[in-house]
Amino acid sequence: MEIRRLNDNEIDQVIELGEFAFQGNFSKEDREDIRSRIEPSNIWGAFEGERLASKVSMLPMNVYVQGVAMKACGVTGVSTWPEHRRGGLVRTLIKHALTDMVEKGQTLSLLDPFSVGYYRKFGWELYCDHSTAVFTSKEQFPKPSKDGTGSFDHVTKENWQRLQDVYQQLATRYTGMINRDEWWWLNRKFNHFTKTYRAIIYVDQHGEDRGYLFL
């Protein structure tokens, strides 16, 4: 089994494995969008001959810690074909990825695990909680104040800077927040797979953008 970074001509294999592993059903348009955003040099793969057997993708970013933006890297798209599982490929690929991060000065590494216990073995640990609120009727929503002022504005990707300005005011105050840039907004928030979402900004009575929501 050969362990190495991917080449440009192997992107379709990445998409094929990702579609299977994460139970997607990609259209031609989906594939084109994914292909345009993949950087092969950020993916470590295990190859049996010319066939991709397993992969680990890295997503460079900067993350705030106590108000300071630090180099970091997300780990994503970890997947293996069934016939190659339980052979230690993911463990090997993760070691290569982590070594790569150290060499690039990426102090922090983040991921959204399918199993906390599995990745805890490699040194990751929980740093935040995810909470979900379920409303069963409209009566459970807060009632708007009759004296409320301000307005709501629908914004598109061309206005990503307005969202960034609101986000940045709070991001520096919390550890673990990503220091977003134009690429992040256009490729992670306004991409092909989120095109049905609407971004709504709340504008206060002084005309200042104060908050936003993706619907």
Side-chain angles (χ1 to χ4, degrees):
M1 194 71 69
E2 180 185 12
I3 306 297
R4 61 173 173 79
R5 299 177 191 272
L6 270 70
N7 299 316
D8 290 343
N9 60 359
E10 293 162 337
I11 291 178
D12 285 339
Q13 290 201 59
V14 173
I15 297 174
E16 181 184 5
L17 177 52
E19 183 176 34
F20 174 83
F22 301 104
Q23 300 180 2
N25 185 19
F26 300 148
S27 66
K28 181 179 179 180
E29 188 180 4
D30 295 336
R31 290 174 178 273
E32 288 300 320
D33 179 76
I34 296 171
R35 190 177 291 110
S36 69
R37 292 186 283 114
I38 287 180
E39 176 51 63
S41 63
N42 286 334
I43 303 176
W44 281 92
F47 286 84
E48 187 174 59
E50 296 182 354
R51 180 66 172 169
L52 179 65
S54 182
K55 68 179 179 70
V56 170
S57 300
M58 301 184 299
L59 182 62
M61 63 181 73
N62 291 307
V63 173
Y64 285 109
V65 177
Q66 297 295 313
V68 177
M70 301 180 64
K71 281 188 175 182
C73 189
V75 175
T76 182
V78 180
S79 48
T80 307
W81 287 108
E83 62 269 27
H84 294 292
R85 291 175 184 171
R86 300 191 180 279
L89 293 181
V90 168
R91 178 181 292 273
T92 300
L93 291 172
I94 285 178
K95 287 181 178 179
H96 277 78
L98 291 174
T99 300
D100 197 357
M101 293 177 207
V102 172
E103 293 174 350
K104 292 178 179 177
Q106 294 166 333
T107 307
L108 301 175
S109 177
L110 300 88
L111 52 79
D112 185 8
F114 77 94
S115 168
V116 173
Y118 179 82
Y119 285 99
R120 184 174 275 150
K121 295 183 297 184
F122 298 104
W124 279 280
E125 188 51 83
L126 291 175
Y127 84 95
C128 64
D129 294 318
H130 182 103
S131 300
T132 301
V134 178
F135 296 91
T136 58
S137 67
K138 64 180 182 180
E139 283 72 24
Q140 292 178 288
F141 284 90
K143 293 183 179 180
S145 170
K146 294 181 179 180
D147 299 324
T149 56
S151 61
F152 296 97
D153 191 9
H154 170 230
V155 296
T156 61
K157 63 182 181 181
E158 287 75 21
N159 304 117
W160 67 270
Q161 187 64 56
R162 290 180 65 185
L163 297 168
Q164 169 71 357
D165 292 343
V166 174
Y167 174 84
Q168 200 69 12
Q169 293 177 33
L170 295 175
T172 57
R173 294 166 50 185
Y174 298 95
T175 292
M177 299 292 283
I178 296 171
N179 182 15
R180 297 174 178 173
D181 55 15
E182 181 178 8
W183 183 93
W184 193 274
W185 283 104
L186 299 186
N187 291 278
R188 305 298 295 181
K189 305 304 290 184
F190 285 105
N191 62 48
H192 168 69
F193 292 96
T194 62
K195 62 185 178 182
T196 58
Y197 291 2
R198 287 172 58 85
I200 307 298
I201 281 186
Y202 168 66
V203 184
D204 68 16
Q205 65 270 32
H206 304 295
E208 298 290 333
D209 295 338
R210 304 297 295 172
Y212 70 82
L213 178 68
F214 276 86
L215 300 173

